[in-house]
Amino acid sequence: MARILKGAEVVEALNNEISTQVEQLKAAGVFPTLALVRVGQRSDDVSYERAAMKRAEKVGVGIKQVVFPEDVSEESLLNAIADLNADDGVHGVLMFRPLPPHINGDTVRNALDPRKDVDGITDLSLAGVFVGSDIGYAPCTAQACMEILDHFGYELKGKRAVVVGRSLVVGKPLAMMLLERHATVSIAHSRTTDLPNLCQSADVLIACVGRAQMLGADYVSPQQIVIDVGINVDEDGSLVGDVDFAAAERIVSSITPVPGGVGTVTTSVLMKNVARAASRQ
Ligand code: NDP
């Protein structure tokens, strides 16, 4: 049976580290604060917002909620972002996406000051990930995968990593982060041929596909570390990953569960970035 890489363990270590940093900042008169910008009432956004507020309270990060109706104009949203960029009391901004179709999502996300872009949504933050500099921040989910690998002590140098998924939120930035750590990285996607064989060849397999339990027994191999980023709802209404956990855990060396894996670590990474942003600003 595989070792289960539980997110809770990583979260505890991260929260201790963040709480200490936040206390030090407060002692120096800086109160790390995250603005949560939400348009409309999408249930995913509302539940992530609730989780972020809970985690913020736990580590001492302040929250400023900014909520707009679904029919908000692009101009109002851009004005709000300009205000948050100029507000010295706000160190990080998380904007829930996708935005409604009448709003140009690219214009709005790139209006954010990369120094406050704690979820890595601006082009400049992503450029920073690709060139290996701290212009902004890496997307929290990609960073959460790295935190998990680091926490459990996995050396990446010389390892073969396969990332299944090439979105800007997870797959592409994560591939660059693995490369930065000297892994040999393949990025797979919907047009990749012979995906099971490619996945089986990995030492570290990262699934960010968005398809419930797609990676089954024929995609994994012994000795593998599997990080499952997927969050999907199956036919029974249960939360499942992109990997068939029951099949994979009998074969691989270690695996993250869903729920209780990458998702929970992502929220702490967000707080870590707010604390970093506060200390940098
Ligand atoms: P996207 O839909 O943006 O990207 C999915 C990627 O998977 C695409 O690159 C797509 O390829 C690829 N893909 C789709 N089908 C296949 C297939 N049959 N074979 C191979 N590749 C395929 O999703 P996201 O990156 O936003 O999210 C991925 C998963 O991660 C989702 O389950 C999401 O819920 C979860 N997630 C979890 C977070 C967390 O905190 N744990 C945060 C963000 C996302 P192509 O580019 O060719 O279309």
Side-chain angles (χ1 to χ4, degrees), residues 82-212:
D83 289 347
L84 293 169
N85 284 344
D87 186 344
D88 289 341
V90 169
H91 305 96
V93 177
L94 175 76
M95 190 168 59
F96 294 102
R97 296 177 305 152
L99 293 165
H102 67 278
I103 288 173
N104 185 328
D106 287 340
T107 307
V108 172
R109 73 182 168 82
N110 281 316
L112 184 60
D113 184 336
R115 288 170 301 181
K116 298 192 178 188
D117 181 18
V118 288
D119 194 26
I121 63 169
T122 62
D123 288 351
L124 283 172
S125 276
L126 291 166
V129 176
F130 279 66
V131 298
S133 83
D134 280 343
I135 304 172
Y137 294 84
C140 292
T141 308
Q143 222 177 304
C145 297
M146 299 304 290
E147 293 282 356
I148 292 171
L149 290 166
D150 285 344
H151 177 87
F152 291 103
Y154 294 116
E155 170 65 78
L156 294 166
K157 188 167 35 172
K159 294 287 184 327
R160 190 189 306 238
V162 173
V163 180
V164 190
R166 57 175 164 180
S167 75
L168 282 177
V169 180
V170 204
K172 274 188 196 166
L174 181 55
M176 288 304 120
M177 294 162 94
L178 290 161
L179 189 63
E180 181 77 16
R181 300 284 288 277
H182 311 297
T184 302
V185 186
S186 301
I187 309 176
H189 46 80
S190 63
R191 273 74 147 192
T192 299
T193 53
D194 202 8
L195 187 60
N197 253 334
L198 178 67
C199 290
Q200 281 187 332
S201 74
D203 299 309
V204 180
L205 176 63
I206 316 244
C208 37
V209 194
R211 305 212 177 256

Side-chain angles (χ1 to χ4, degrees), residues 200 202 220-224 251-253:
Q200 281 187 332
V220 296
S221 57
Q223 313 308 324
Q224 235 171 22
I251 301 168
V252 304
S253 131

Side-chain angles (χ1 to χ4, degrees), residues 2 9 11 43 83 98 118 125 139 166 172 214 218 226 229 257 280:
E9 210 182 289
V11 166
S43 61
D83 289 347
V118 288
S125 276
R166 57 175 164 180
K172 274 188 196 166
M214 186 187 116
D218 48 342
V226 179
V229 181
R280 279 211 232 162

